[in-house]
Amino acid sequence: MLRFMLLRLGQALIVVFLVTIIAFAVLHALPGGPARAILGKDATAEQIAEFEHTNGYDLPLPQQYVMYMGKLATGDFGYSYKLNQNVADAIEQRLPKTIILSLLSTTLAITVAIPLGVLQSVKRNKGPDYVITGAALLAYSTPIFFMGLLMIIMFSQFWPILPPEAPQGYAVAEMFSQPKALILPVVTLAIVTIASYSRYVRSSMVDNLNEQYVRTARAKGVSEFRIIYVHTLRNALFPVITLLGLYIPALFSGALVVETLFNFNGMGLLFWQSTQSRDYPVLLGVTLILAIATVVGALLADLLYSVADPRVRLAGDD
């Protein structure tokens, strides 16, 4: 088990190292260099030269990369001249809100998707299976921004029971002080995830229900409830465990749309606003955080998978 964890941790560190190289290369590949990209096209040659000297951009690239890694190690992602604050501070203000939004939507999605997937597998090729499959395919194929607009029109205008805007403010306490305003963003972000997860659970459940151990359990007189929810469901959840870690990029892309649509002050809205204003330090900082989160998510998925299935640990120890 220890060898398996160390192997996965080593692979994760290599990926993070490669991501830092890519982020560093992108910064220096910007038109006119990082100084021109950050200061804008109206900056004079003297201003650019002074900026490059102050920030070390006139040093050799290997030396710049060492300085860049040293700053990242201390949590320094650079300075945003558009926001007039450190990138780390801007991320620190908004990251907790995006994490909470993602956790709430993922929890809702799993809570709904697993029972739906189990119901589809038990009632496969019957009415409930066809209805849920059709609804899942419709939800999965609907763009998330269009789904959000439909939710706003339906529950804020046609049937005005929920506010059309997400909780405002940067503090997490302010977000939870407006619980009704959280409903539409969370549900909108969860709908596509529900459609995806339910299909995975259904497919995995159907495969496991056809396994020999299920037929043996039925022959021994084990109740159908125990077969489905104790024996089969545990094995069928392995794909979902993997998805939880690997779904971080999809969650962020969905959060980007949802946060922009509902004016939710999180990482997604920060990334969108930085794109509009060409705030490259913020863009690279958010991209780096997302890449690290994806690697960490994949690592956690591997570890959870090894805990759930000992065969993975044994394979990793070979």
Side-chain angles (χ1 to χ4, degrees):
M1 179 63 177
L2 179 60
R3 182 181 176 184
F4 175 81
M5 293 176 62
L6 291 175
L7 177 63
R8 291 295 185 267
L9 181 60
Q11 293 173 345
L13 291 175
I14 291 174
V15 173
V16 171
F17 174 71
L18 294 175
V19 168
T20 61
I21 293 178
I22 295 173
F24 178 79
V26 168
L27 179 62
H28 287 77
L30 295 172
R36 174 66 67 183
I38 294 172
L39 296 180
K41 62 181 180 180
D42 296 328
T44 64
E46 292 78 11
Q47 290 173 329
I48 291 177
E50 182 181 356
F51 183 86
E52 289 180 342
H53 180 71
T54 302
N55 293 275
Y57 291 132
D58 54 349
L59 298 174
L61 286 179
Q63 189 173 350
Q64 288 188 47
Y65 180 73
V66 173
M67 293 175 57
Y68 176 70
M69 291 297 293
K71 290 180 179 180
L72 290 182
T74 60
D76 184 0
F77 293 93
Y79 190 84
S80 170
Y81 290 88
K82 303 293 175 65
L83 298 176
N84 197 28
Q85 66 176 149
N86 291 321
V87 175
D89 293 337
I91 292 175
E92 185 180 358
Q93 285 180 341
R94 296 164 175 83
L95 181 59
K97 297 189 67 176
T98 296
I99 291 176
I100 292 174
L101 175 65
S102 299
L103 286 176
L104 290 174
S105 65
T106 303
T107 302
L108 175 62
I110 293 175
T111 303
V112 175
I114 291 177
L116 286 180
V118 172
L119 177 61
Q120 286 182 269
S121 65
V122 174
K123 302 291 184 180
R124 62 184 180 276
N125 299 326
K126 295 181 181 179
D129 184 24
Y130 293 137
V131 172
I132 297 173
T133 298
L137 291 176
L138 179 62
Y140 192 78
S141 60
T142 303
I144 193 168
F145 74 89
F146 186 71
M147 182 70 70
L149 289 174
L150 286 179
M151 299 288 285
I152 291 173
I153 293 173
M154 184 178 300
F155 295 105
S156 296
Q157 297 183 10
F158 181 76
W159 188 21
I161 59 173
L162 295 173
E165 193 174 50
Q168 298 304 296
Y170 293 105
V172 173
E174 294 176 334
M175 183 177 72
F176 283 113
S177 67
Q178 309 167 54
K180 289 184 65 175
L182 270 175
I183 295 177
L184 287 185
V186 169
V187 172
T188 301
L189 188 56
I191 286 178
V192 176
T193 310
I194 291 172
S196 176
Y197 281 10
S198 65
R199 297 298 297 163
Y200 278 103
V201 173
R202 178 196 182 279
S203 177
S204 186
M205 282 289 295
V206 169
D207 291 340
N208 278 275
L209 285 172
N210 292 323
E211 292 290 337
Q212 184 65 42
Y213 73 88
V214 173
R215 290 192 288 270
T216 302
R218 284 173 175 158
K220 289 183 177 181
V222 179
S223 66
E224 195 69 16
F225 180 88
R226 186 173 179 82
I227 289 173
I228 293 173
Y229 291 98
V230 176
H231 299 290
T232 310
L233 182 58
R234 178 182 177 183
N235 293 324
L237 288 181
F238 290 155
V240 177
I241 293 175
T242 305
L243 279 175
L244 287 175
L246 302 180
Y247 217 66
I248 291 177
L251 277 175
F252 179 78
S253 62
L256 190 153
V257 176
V258 169
E259 290 180 8
T260 304
L261 185 62
F262 291 96
N263 194 30
F264 187 89
N265 290 314
M267 291 277 284
L269 183 59
L270 174 65
F271 190 86
W272 172 253
Q273 292 172 339
S274 300
T275 303
Q276 299 297 303
S277 62
R278 298 184 180 181
D279 194 347
Y280 296 109
V282 173
L283 291 175
L284 291 176
V286 174
T287 301
L288 189 60
I289 290 293
L290 176 61
I292 294 174
T294 303
V295 171
V296 172
L299 177 62
L300 291 176
D302 284 338
L303 296 179
L304 289 174
Y305 205 101
S306 68
V307 172
D309 190 353
R311 293 172 298 180
V312 177
R313 298 197 299 269
L314 294 176
D317 291 336
D318 290 341

